[in-house]
């Protein structure tokens, strides 16, 4: 296939879409499925059939507003219906819906229509999620019509591999998996390493509890990931790629499998891609539930069929990765940004964001926030804008207490930093990280000691057990935190906890152990008084912890 | 030592489906992966999806076929949370304890289930009806707290509604249809 054929194929699909007077798109993401979108879709299809309406009903990707699911979008009028029930579905088909705008909806019956200028949508800048709620993830034609595979075609026909690497470097793209390493530098390292075989690995082992943007991309726009991988393969000289998908994401696996098959049939993957000498195959590897496999050396061990235990670096995977060959490992979101950068040019991408953090980032808003879901914003936007303007603030009249970013490796950011811009360096300064982009908002009903204990429990059970600082350190830290939350700790324990955290940060083998103490360190930094009130006064200020079993001698010690 | 004995082979098929068919599916997966040692995790995924769990005999068989030390196969099977060496119950319930669900008090749901069915996470009721487990994150954080009954994800659950859902699933084997209705559209 060449550039003209690609264009005509896109035009054909657009013509096909225009030939139907109306298209109704039903969100087919895990989130909307859990609120019953499959049943609603069935009801829509039944209604269309019964009325003989000339409507095409199709699935679409997650538009991000999971809080208001199931979401249904009507084209070409672009009406977004929210919280659609099975009973309401025929009204949408009939066009006789007793519609109400957001403001007048009370109770349930009128179909809720989301205004197009809703801040949740209007304040976002979508690159990774550009196709969200637009295309049918299961049809390659739909992706091609949205401009898909154009970047791969351009890279292969108009650019040398070195030019692709340079473009990524110029764009300022940094790794979206957590560490924020410059992507162009990584690509350059792999490209420069001489080898008969190289690999590209897409890290879709989204283990951070509270983050789900990679799932949404893999489920909702699988070809975007494949295209990014193919461009990466061309740039670094690899002929084989692997997508490592979390075992908890069966729909993502199914969609990716289908997408690979479709792309191979179209000649976008396989041998002689776009009639060039470039060949690139992609296989799927399914994870089996281990957080540590997000670490790149552990990921390699897992793809090779072993236990996901990391090994010391160097050598870095860029030099010696899968089967000892140079391997490029990038997060789903990093690879998903590639085709837009090649398509629109690195300067266009670099204009977004801040000086050191370019482009956009998808954040998963969850916890005590009104508009839960996925939002894509340029770096440099403030936390307040994301949480209050896009996220709609804290529900039920509660007060903001902290926002946890970066998952188990991140930290809690208190209210005084709400006006801080979101970028890699600002978050690092206040003791947290961007991480994979999870943002869990907490109100005054969350106890920070309890939160720290939760994360330490997570790290304790996910530690692979290879190095002692992590294996034993997480257990001991958890025990101390558990004692604090029960009122059975003293100030010596707190000092012990702090020095233990330092040991773990300095001596652990991989990122899991090195960052496991972060939740403790950051909560101690901003919420030390909560720890002290558990220890000294035997009171949980948030009323979460059960201190009824506090040992009597602890009480007397606290008083004295 | 690696050789699989006749009794071990026969133990591969004990329940519902006839031995041949299930055995053939396992062999098919091995063949599809060209008996490559790095396909161990894929093969174990297949075996578990066919039999519901992994027995010693399964692990021995896979080790022999892939020419891997049994210790490595056992090591992998016990390292990953997905693999289970114990038979699951007729119905499986997974409660998400990811951060978003934790903040929205998914512990209360687990506690309610523990109290109602008398089992702890990782256990199965004595009548083999229900297994309870905990997930680290189901990736549906915007609908927290979430939980799965027999493969169907339910969002915005409460202890009471979820226990009722599980009870309904147990009392009627047509759980999928029922629960999606009982879950209630918003």
């Amino acid at each position: 296939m060449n550039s003209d054929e690609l264009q005509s194929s896109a035009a054909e699909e657009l013509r096909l879409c225009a030939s139907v007077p109306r298209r109704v798109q039903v969100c087919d993401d895990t989130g909307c499925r859990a609120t019953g979108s499959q049943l609603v879709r069935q009801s829509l299809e039944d209604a269309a059939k019964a009325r003989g309406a000339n409507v095409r009903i199709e699935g679409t990707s997650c538009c991000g507003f999971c809080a208001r699911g199931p979401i249904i979008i009507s084209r070409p009028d672009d009406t977004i219906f929210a919280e659609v029930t099975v009973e309401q579905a025929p009204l949408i088909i009939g066009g006789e819906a007793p519609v109400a705008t957001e403001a007048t909806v009370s109770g349930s019956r009128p179909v809720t229509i989301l205004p197009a200028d809703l801040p949740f949508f209007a304040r976002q800048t979508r690159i990774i999620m550009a196709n969200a709620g637009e295309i049918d993830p299961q049809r390659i034609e739909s992706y091609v019509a949205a401009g898909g595979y154009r970047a791969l075609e351009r890279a292969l026909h108009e650019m040398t591999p070195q030019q692709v690497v340079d473009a990524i470097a110029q764009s300022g793209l940094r790794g979206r998996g957590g560490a924020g390493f410059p992507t162009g530098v990584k690509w350059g390292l792999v490209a420069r390493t001489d080898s008969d075989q190289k690999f590209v690995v897409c890290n879709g082992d989204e283990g951070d509890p509270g983050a789900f943007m990679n799932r949404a991309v893999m489920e909702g726009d699988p070809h975007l990931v494949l295209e990014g991988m193919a461009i990466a393969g061309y740039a670094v000289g690899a002929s084989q790629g692997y997508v490592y998908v979390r075992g908890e994401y069966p729909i993502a696996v199914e969609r990716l499998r289908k997408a690979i098959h479709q792309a191979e049939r179209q000649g976008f993957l396989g041998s002689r891609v776009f009639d060039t000498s470039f060949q690139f195959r992609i296989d799927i590897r399914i994870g089996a539930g281990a957080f540590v496999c997000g670490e790149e050396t552990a990921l390699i061990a897992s793809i090779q069929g072993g236990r996901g235990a990391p090994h010391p670096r160097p050598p870095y995977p860029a030099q010696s990765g899968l089967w000892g060959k140079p391997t490029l490992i990038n997060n789903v979101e990093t690879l998903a940004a590639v085709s837009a950068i090649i398509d629109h040019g690195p300067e266009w991408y670099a204009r977004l964001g801040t000086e050191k953090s370019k482009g956009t980032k998808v954040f998963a808003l969850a916890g005590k926030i009104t508009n839960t879901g996925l939002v894509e914003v340029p770096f440099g936007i403030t936390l307040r804008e994301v949480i209050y303007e896009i996220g709609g603030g804290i529900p039920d009249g509660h007060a903001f207490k902290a926002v946890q970013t970066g998952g188990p490796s991140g930290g809690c950011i208190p209210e005084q930093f709400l006006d801080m811009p979101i970028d890699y360096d600002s978050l690092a300064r206040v003791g947290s990280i961007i991480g994979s982009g999870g943002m869990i908002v907490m109100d005054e009903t969350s106890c920070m000691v309890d939160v720290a204990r939760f994360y330490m429990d997570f790290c304790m059970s996910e530690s692979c057990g290879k190095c002692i600082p992590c294996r034993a350190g997480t257990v001991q830290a958890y025990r101390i935190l558990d004692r604090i939350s029960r009122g059975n700790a003293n100030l010596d324990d707190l000092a012990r906890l702090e020095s233990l955290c330092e040991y773990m940060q300095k001596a652990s083998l991989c990122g899991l152990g090195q960052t496991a103490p972060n939740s403790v360190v950051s909560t101690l930094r901003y919420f030390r008084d909560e720890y002290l009130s558990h220890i000294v006064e035997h009171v949980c200020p948030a009323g979460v912890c059960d201190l009824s079993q506090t040992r009597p001698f602890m009480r007397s010690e606290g008083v004295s | 030592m690696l050789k699989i004995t006749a009794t071990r082979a026969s133990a591969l098929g004990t329940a519902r489906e006839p031995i041949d068919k299930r055995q053939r599916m396992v062999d098919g997966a091995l063949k599809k992966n060209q008996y490559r040692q790095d396909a161990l995790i894929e093969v174990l995924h297949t075996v578990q999806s066919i039999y519901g769990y992994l027995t010693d005999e399964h692990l021995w068989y896979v080790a022999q076929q892939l020419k891997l030390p049994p210790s490595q196969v056992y090591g992998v099977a016990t390292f990953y949370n997905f693999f289970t060496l114990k038979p699951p119950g007729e119905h499986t319930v997974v409660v998400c304890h990811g951060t978003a669900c934790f903040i929205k008090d998914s512990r209360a749901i687990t506690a309610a289930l523990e109290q109602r069915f008398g089992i702890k996470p990782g256990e199965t009721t004595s009548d083999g009806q229900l297994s309870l487990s905990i997930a680290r994150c189901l990736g549906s954080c915007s609908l927290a707290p979430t939980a799965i009954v027999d493969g169907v994800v339910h969002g915005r659950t409460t202890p009471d509604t979820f226990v009722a859902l599980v009870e309904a699933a147990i009392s009627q084997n047509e759980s999928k249809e029922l629960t999606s209705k009982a879950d209630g559209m918003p």
Side-chain angles (χ1 to χ4, degrees), chain A residues 197-214:
Chain A
Q197 196 176 15
K198 296 179 192 176
F199 297 100
V200 172
V201 173
C202 171
N203 185 349
D205 187 53
E206 189 172 45
D208 271 10
F212 53 101
M213 61 287 295
N214 291 356

Side-chain angles (χ1 to χ4, degrees), chain A residues 61-67 120-121 126 129 132 212 372-375, chain B residues 142:
Chain A
S61 46
C62 175
C63 76
F65 211 175
C66 310
F120 183 84
F121 293 116
R126 289 185 159 182
M129 291 173 66
F212 53 101
T372 55
L374 294 177
V375 298
Chain B
S142 47

Side-chain angles (χ1 to χ4, degrees), chain A residues 143-197:
Chain A
Y143 178 69
V144 169
Y149 289 107
R150 203 166 54 197
L152 176 62
E153 193 272 333
R154 252 194 77 194
L156 291 177
H157 287 139
E158 296 169 24
M159 298 167 87
T160 63
Q162 187 55 46
Q163 283 174 327
V164 177
V165 174
D166 291 343
I168 298 300
Q170 278 166 30
S171 73
L173 178 67
R174 291 170 71 170
R176 300 289 190 244
F181 191 78
T183 308
V185 175
K186 207 179 205 178
W187 286 30
L189 280 173
V190 182
R192 276 198 300 278
T193 311
D194 249 347
S195 174
D196 56 336
Q197 196 176 15

Side-chain angles (χ1 to χ4, degrees), chain B:
Chain B
M1 172 115 170
L2 284 178
K3 209 168 183 185
I4 193 158
T5 62
T7 48
R8 284 205 163 111
S10 68
L12 277 172
T14 43
R16 285 153 271 170
E17 283 179 67
I19 172 170
D20 290 346
K21 198 176 162 199
R22 294 160 82 174
Q23 180 70 53
R24 268 208 304 277
M25 285 160 84
V26 173
D27 289 339
L30 286 162
K31 205 179 232 171
K32 199 178 122 204
N33 288 294
Q34 296 154 347
Y35 296 89
R36 286 200 328 270
Q37 297 185 331
D38 56 80
L40 174 60
I41 295 175
E42 267 71 45
V43 172
L44 291 179
H45 268 302
T46 313
V47 176
Q48 181 158 305
S49 71
I50 295 168
Y51 293 93
Y53 68 111
L54 303 169
T55 62
D56 285 355
E57 285 73 20
H58 296 144
L59 300 180
W60 273 96
Y61 185 70
V62 171
Q64 187 214 23
Q65 294 294 314
L66 297 181
K67 299 191 172 59
L68 282 168
S71 59
Q72 189 179 331
V73 177
Y74 184 77
V76 167
T78 50
F79 182 85
Y80 292 99
N81 296 333
F82 240 62
F83 299 127
T84 169
L85 307 185
K86 282 186 282 185
E90 190 73 17
H91 300 277
T92 53
V93 168
V94 184
V95 182
C96 181
H97 276 209
T99 319
C101 294
F102 165 80
I103 295 295
K104 295 220 172 159
D105 208 10
S106 59
R107 283 181 293 190
I109 295 169
T110 313
L113 288 168
E114 283 176 6
Q115 202 192 356
R116 170 65 184 78
F117 298 101
I119 46 170
K120 293 226 170 302
E123 292 177 355
T124 304
T125 50
S126 52
D127 59 1
Q129 275 291 314
L130 182 75
S131 304
L132 174 64
S133 58
I134 280 175
R136 278 308 180 185
C137 182
L138 298 175
S140 298
C141 315
S142 47
L143 301 171
T146 56
I148 296 180
V149 187
D150 294 334
V152 180
V153 182
H154 297 274
R156 302 191 200 107
T157 52
T158 66
D160 293 343
T161 60
F162 194 69
V163 167
L165 269 175
V166 177
E167 282 171 343
I170 291 174
S171 63
Q172 318 253 334
N173 270 340
E174 249 63 89
S175 66
K176 281 195 181 177
E177 280 171 37
L178 246 179
T179 46
S180 45
K181 274 181 201 156
D183 187 31
M185 303 301 116

